Amino acid sequence: MPPTVSEQLRQDVRSVLQQARRGALETVDLSYKGIDDDLLRELCLALRHAPHVTSLNLRNNKFTDAGVIELAEAVSHPDSNVTELTIRNNNITDVGAARIADALKFSPLLVLHLGNCKLTDEGASALGRALPGTALMQLFLSVNHIQELGACVLAESLLADTKLETLGLHCNTIGDIGAKAFADVLASNKTVQYLSFGDCGITDSGAFALAMGVRDNAKNRGVLNYIDFNDNPMTERGEEALASACYIIGQEVGEWTPAAAARKLQGLIDNDRKEQEAYAAAQNALGTIRDEAWLEGLKRLQVDMSGAANEGDQEALESAFNTLKALADAQNIRLESIIQIVVDKYASAMERMKYVMEIKDTPSVAQAKPWACAGTDVADQARTYLSRAAWFQAKFLETVGPLVDDVNNAEDIMDLVGMYELNPDQYPLPLRSNLMLDPDNPDLLVNAKIGPPKELERAITKMQSGKSLKDLNRITYEVEDPYVMGILFGCLKSRFNVVGVKNKFVLVPGQTTYTEPPVLHMNIDMDGWIVEVQMHFRDMLVVKAEQHQAYKVRRATSPIEIMAPIIVHKITAADTNAAKERIMSSPSIKGLRGSSAFAEGGSFKSELKKSRAESTLNSFVLDQDGIDDKLELERKHLQATVAALKNEVAGRNNVLDETQQKLEAMRQELEAAKAELQKEASCREKVVELETQLEANVCELTKSVEYAKGLKEQLSSILWMAKPQPPTSPVKPSKLPVLNRPKSAKPGALKES
């Protein structure tokens, strides 16, 4: 007779178990076998002798809580090595879930599938309370009857010490309350990577909360990288909010991504790709920004101009000047193309760049009038302006400087909203993004650069052209994120009296390209004195520094304005050593070696020191007959520069001597003040001593007065008794009162009184 279905099933199960006991199987798959509680009991007994089994799949069978009780004991047995257990689609209730929860504390289970059973909040709560301290990393509870309470307990467990990385809850009814519970814990959780909330009854309210939780998780360096939220009764706004959050954690569009969320997420991903392309183009452009041919031409033509001016050749001077102007125009055109590429880089971050592009221009006001002592002379007025700016500089920096620390130290945008009374609805984006000034320091959002004092000549020229000197106190904020620039503008406008705005990121009508690095320019009225604030992007400052050389040439109206070297060579240690070698190898120095003018150890005597400048200059020209005219002109130009530097050094030395004399006078005044203070301290000590002695004398005097008063009373009594009395009856001698003499009183005091 052929075996029945039940007997055949038992034979198949036993065959699998025998293989497992022999170590031939690590994964035991007995799904869809119709295993009941009795057969599961046999399976559990066999598992104790099969330590090689690490994965057990029992989905879609017929066992109940009774069999699960045996299974829980088997997987928590000391000899069990089962790390993955799948028992979904079985008749398991909260009772069985509770026994599995108890077993988790003692088992090596890493993955547990309990979906499509009959679990409610009670079973989910039991599992949630058991999670802390277990090894479980993946828990799947989909298609059950878990509601808000069970979701809250599971969410709370993520705050404890768990290793859970994956939690599947789709097709449950956790609702907005459950979603908000998980959103609250995501900010501090550092283990969860995958969350499934599909078809969980979540509306826009829960979606917005989850979106914020996902953002907080990313901001606090959590590891969440996927969240499933399809088939929920939320609108497109809720889906788009979650899509934006998913974009932050790097989630791609998946098969189950809702339509609106997929469009939003794909758009963000496409924009990100465009941003990366724009960033790569900007980096390539900045790599070519330095033009050595332009720099060499600038130096050569300035030498030609200097030589022509020295020789009095006006025609050659004008020719070199015009050639240099043409060269600067060509350089400026080249840099304009780089400016546009760099602008495109920041414009690609459209969602954040709009906070800059929406800033409107407002007309500025004139600077305060110069001090009356300046009179009507423009030069004197410029000097008074520069003096007032120097006195105001400290207050200016104390006022606008703290904004940098406030922004860099802010945890999120709400910190700045509170400090600067901003409208939170106007700044919904996260404060930090992948647009960073320094990738090694993600907290650095803004740098501050203080503008150097304006030169007197430049101030006079500006005033003569009718312009107001509103940039004498100025600060430049350097940022990389357009959103941060918008926040800085909002903070300044909230805290200070902004009297002028010029947004050069917005092209004026008729303008199609940028001719200079755009900047956000502001004027602020501080107690009647106008100051300047500029905001630049980091790469724009690089372009501006390179363009400034050409700008100096292009704005010059005559050769005399650019006679001084525009490119100043910075002397390094290598330059110094090379100069020493050239000097020591020159014929004039070689002739001095061994003579009385050259001391032991190679140091110069006083005779050589007197002619050091001439010897040094000659050492750079070893063969006067072999150099061309241009080098001769350059030598003369350098000679004039050295003389000017010597004069400047002499002037600075005089200032230094005066300063030292003032310091010495101040030191003497300080010593005198110290002596006065010491004398005053000694007097104070003497006064204290006298006050103490006076207090003791007053106390002694008080006691003496009291004693004298007592004596007076005794004397009055004696005098009264000494009066003659009428002889009416015999008078008994009255007993005198006993006086309490003060201890300090002398024995003879009464007699003397």
Side-chain angles (χ1 to χ4, degrees):
M1 174 182 288
T4 63
V5 175
S6 178
E7 292 174 350
Q8 183 63 46
L9 175 61
R10 290 178 184 276
Q11 291 177 8
D12 292 344
V13 171
R14 287 168 181 167
S15 174
V16 171
L17 292 177
Q18 286 176 1
Q19 295 180 56
R21 292 179 66 177
R22 292 197 302 269
L25 292 177
E26 292 184 358
T27 300
V28 175
D29 187 356
L30 293 173
S31 58
Y32 298 94
K33 297 294 186 182
I35 297 175
D36 57 13
D37 291 336
D38 292 336
L39 192 54
L40 182 59
R41 192 173 293 110
E42 290 187 33
L43 173 62
C44 292
L45 291 173
L47 279 176
R48 297 185 179 182
H49 305 286
H52 296 286
V53 175
T54 58
S55 177
L56 180 59
N57 185 358
L58 296 173
R59 64 180 295 180
N60 286 80
N61 281 289
K62 298 180 179 180
F63 53 84
T64 64
D65 291 337
V68 170
I69 293 173
E70 300 288 340
L71 183 60
E73 293 180 359
V75 296
S76 61
H77 192 274
D79 295 332
S80 173
N81 290 312
V82 176
T83 58
E84 182 175 0
L85 177 62
T86 303
I87 51 177
R88 58 175 302 175
N89 294 77
N90 284 289
N91 296 320
I92 304 173
T93 68
D94 294 333
V95 175
R99 296 304 295 268
I100 292 292
D102 293 336
L104 288 176
K105 303 173 184 177
F106 308 102
S107 74
L109 277 178
L110 301 177
V111 183
L112 176 61
H113 292 265
L114 264 172
N116 201 13
C117 293
K118 299 177 180 179
L119 306 188
T120 67
D121 286 342
E122 184 179 349
S125 299
L127 290 167
R129 288 190 292 268
L131 278 177
T134 68
L136 198 67
M137 300 175 67
Q138 299 181 24
L139 177 60
F140 298 94
L141 300 174
S142 57
V143 198
N144 276 291
H145 308 288
I146 302 171
Q147 299 181 0
E148 293 92 340
L149 178 61
C152 290
V153 176
L154 286 169
E156 187 178 358
S157 69
L158 299 182
L159 291 173
D161 184 20
T162 69
K163 298 180 180 179
L164 198 68
E165 297 177 353
T166 301
L167 178 60
L169 284 174
H170 65 272
C171 294
N172 283 284
T173 54
I174 68 172
D176 291 336
I177 295 177
K180 291 178 181 178
F182 280 102
D184 291 340
V185 303
L186 282 177
S188 57
N189 182 270
K190 296 293 190 298
T191 60
V192 172
Q193 301 179 23
Y194 177 97
L195 288 173
S196 175
F197 296 138
D199 194 11
C200 283
I202 301 173
T203 68
D204 284 353
S205 177
F208 295 146
L210 277 176
M212 186 61 68
V214 173
R215 291 176 184 271
D216 290 342
N217 184 268
K219 182 182 70 174
N220 296 329
R221 295 169 176 78
V223 294
L224 181 67
N225 55 46
Y226 192 92
I227 180 169
D228 173 27
F229 54 93
N230 68 304
D231 293 331
N232 278 289
M234 61 182 70
T235 67
E236 289 189 1
R237 289 185 64 234
E239 291 181 359
E240 289 177 353
L242 275 171
S244 298
C246 292
Y247 164 74
I248 293 175
I249 61 176
Q251 182 172 329
E252 299 285 344
V253 177
E255 180 181 357
W256 303 105
T257 307
R263 289 193 299 271
K264 179 70 173 179
L265 185 55
Q266 189 59 52
L268 293 171
I269 293 173
D270 291 343
N271 288 338
D272 187 47
R273 176 179 52 79
K274 293 177 182 177
E275 285 183 29
Q276 293 177 3
E277 293 174 353
Y279 268 61
Q283 288 300 110
N284 292 335
L286 291 174
T288 63
I289 193 170
R290 189 170 182 83
D291 187 351
E292 295 296 338
W294 147 253
L295 297 176
E296 288 299 323
L298 173 61
K299 289 188 289 186
R300 177 177 55 81
L301 287 169
Q302 278 204 294
V303 170
D304 290 348
M305 289 171 57
S306 177
N310 190 52
E311 296 294 332
D313 190 344
Q314 186 64 26
E315 183 179 354
L317 177 61
E318 290 291 339
S319 175
F321 175 67
N322 292 332
T323 303
L324 183 55
K325 292 271 285 186
L327 193 63
D329 289 338
Q331 171 70 356
N332 194 69
I333 293 173
R334 187 185 74 86
L335 292 176
E336 284 179 7
S337 63
I338 296 179
I339 292 171
Q340 189 60 51
I341 294 173
V342 176
V343 169
D344 292 341
K345 163 192 168 179
Y346 296 103
S348 64
M350 294 182 293
E351 191 175 13
R352 303 176 81 83
M353 187 63 182
K354 70 178 183 180
Y355 287 88
V356 174
M357 304 304 292
E358 291 175 352
I359 297 174
K360 305 297 183 183
D361 287 356
T362 58
S364 186
V365 298
Q367 181 60 282
K369 294 182 178 180
W371 287 330
C373 61
T376 59
D377 184 71
V378 174
D380 288 342
Q381 290 180 354
R383 290 188 181 92
T384 60
Y385 272 130
L386 293 174
S387 300
R388 185 170 179 180
W391 285 108
F392 194 79
Q393 183 74 352
K395 180 179 180 180
F396 171 64
L397 298 180
E398 290 174 359
T399 305
V400 298
L403 176 58
V404 176
D405 292 333
D406 291 342
V407 174
N408 289 333
N409 295 331
E411 290 291 331
D412 54 33
I413 185 62
M414 295 310 296
D415 291 346
L416 297 174
V417 166
M419 283 189 288
Y420 289 87
E421 300 179 353
L422 305 178
N423 183 355
D425 295 334
Q426 293 182 356
Y427 303 97
L429 302 181
L431 180 60
R432 287 173 172 79
S433 68
N434 59 341
L435 302 171
M436 294 179 287
L437 274 175
D438 183 1
D440 296 330
N441 184 10
D443 291 332
L444 182 65
L445 298 176
V446 56
N447 269 330
K449 297 184 177 181
I450 309 302
K454 185 175 289 293
E455 297 176 355
L456 175 61
E457 180 181 356
R458 180 62 182 152
I460 294 173
T461 303
K462 193 169 183 180
M463 290 184 66
Q464 289 174 340
S465 64
K467 295 181 180 179
S468 183
L469 296 179
K470 295 178 287 187
D471 58 348
L472 299 180
N473 298 103
R474 60 189 185 274
I475 186 171
T476 297
Y477 292 129
E478 176 192 18
V479 301
E480 183 66 0
D481 188 342
Y483 185 56
V484 174
M485 184 179 289
I487 293 170
L488 285 169
F489 175 79
C491 292
L492 289 170
K493 194 172 181 180
S494 173
R495 184 66 58 87
F496 305 110
N497 180 21
V498 177
V499 294
V501 177
K502 185 63 177 177
N503 187 357
K504 295 188 178 180
F505 290 94
V506 180
L507 296 174
V508 299
Q511 184 181 0
T512 58
T513 59
Y514 295 93
T515 58
E516 59 184 16
V519 58
L520 180 59
H521 180 281
M522 302 173 63
N523 285 125
I524 297 175
D525 186 340
M526 292 185 176
D527 300 331
W529 181 252
I530 308 301
V531 300
E532 180 182 273
V533 176
Q534 292 188 4
M535 298 188 202
H536 280 278
F537 291 128
R538 180 190 61 194
D539 291 350
M540 289 299 180
L541 286 175
V542 176
V543 181
K544 182 181 179 182
E546 195 69 22
Q547 194 184 37
H548 192 66
Q549 297 162 345
Y551 170 72
K552 285 184 176 180
V553 176
R554 296 178 69 238
R555 79 179 180 187
T557 58
S558 67
I560 198 66
E561 296 180 27
I562 52 172
M563 292 298 292
I566 293 177
I567 301 176
V568 180
H569 178 64
K570 295 181 179 179
I571 300 176
T572 64
D575 297 329
T576 304
N577 293 333
K580 286 181 179 179
E581 292 179 2
R582 289 195 297 271
I583 293 171
M584 301 305 292
S585 62
S586 66
S588 58
I589 299 299
K590 288 181 178 179
L592 289 172
R593 287 185 181 277
S595 67
S596 59
F598 202 89
E600 288 293 327
S603 60
F604 290 107
K605 288 269 187 178
S606 58
E607 293 85 354
L608 186 59
K609 290 181 180 179
K610 293 178 182 178
S611 60
R612 182 189 304 174
E614 183 179 357
S615 300
T616 303
L617 185 60
N618 291 334
S619 69
F620 285 96
V621 186
L622 302 180
D623 185 4
Q624 292 291 337
D625 297 331
I627 63 174
D628 57 15
D629 294 338
K630 289 186 178 180
L631 287 178
E632 175 64 20
L633 291 175
E634 185 175 0
R635 185 183 70 81
K636 292 180 179 179
H637 178 65
L638 289 174
Q639 204 170 16
T641 303
V642 169
L645 288 174
K646 284 183 177 180
N647 292 334
E648 183 177 355
V649 169
R652 291 181 180 272
N653 287 336
N654 293 334
V655 173
L656 181 60
D657 292 340
E658 293 177 0
T659 304
Q660 289 177 342
Q661 292 175 3
K662 291 180 180 179
L663 288 175
E664 179 62 24
M666 292 174 64
R667 188 187 65 78
Q668 293 176 0
E669 291 179 3
L670 181 61
E671 292 295 333
K674 285 183 178 179
E676 288 293 330
L677 287 175
Q678 291 176 354
K679 184 177 180 181
E680 184 178 349
S682 177
C683 291
R684 284 200 187 111
E685 292 177 358
K686 186 67 176 177
V687 169
V688 170
E689 181 180 352
L690 292 174
E691 286 177 348
T692 304
Q693 184 177 355
L694 178 61
E695 185 177 353
N697 292 339
V698 169
C699 181
E700 188 69 26
L701 180 61
T702 301
K703 292 180 181 180
S704 300
V705 169
E706 290 178 354
Y707 181 64
K709 186 177 179 182
L711 289 176
K712 184 177 180 181
E713 291 176 355
Q714 287 185 10
L715 182 60
S716 298
S717 299
I718 293 172
L719 292 175
W720 181 81
M721 292 174 63
K723 278 185 179 183
Q725 299 291 333
T728 54
S729 60
V731 180
K732 296 182 180 181
S734 175
K735 187 176 181 180
L736 294 174
V738 179
L739 296 177
N740 294 324
R741 188 184 65 187
K743 294 181 179 180
S744 61
K746 297 181 180 180
L750 180 61
K751 183 178 180 182
E752 293 173 0
S753 300

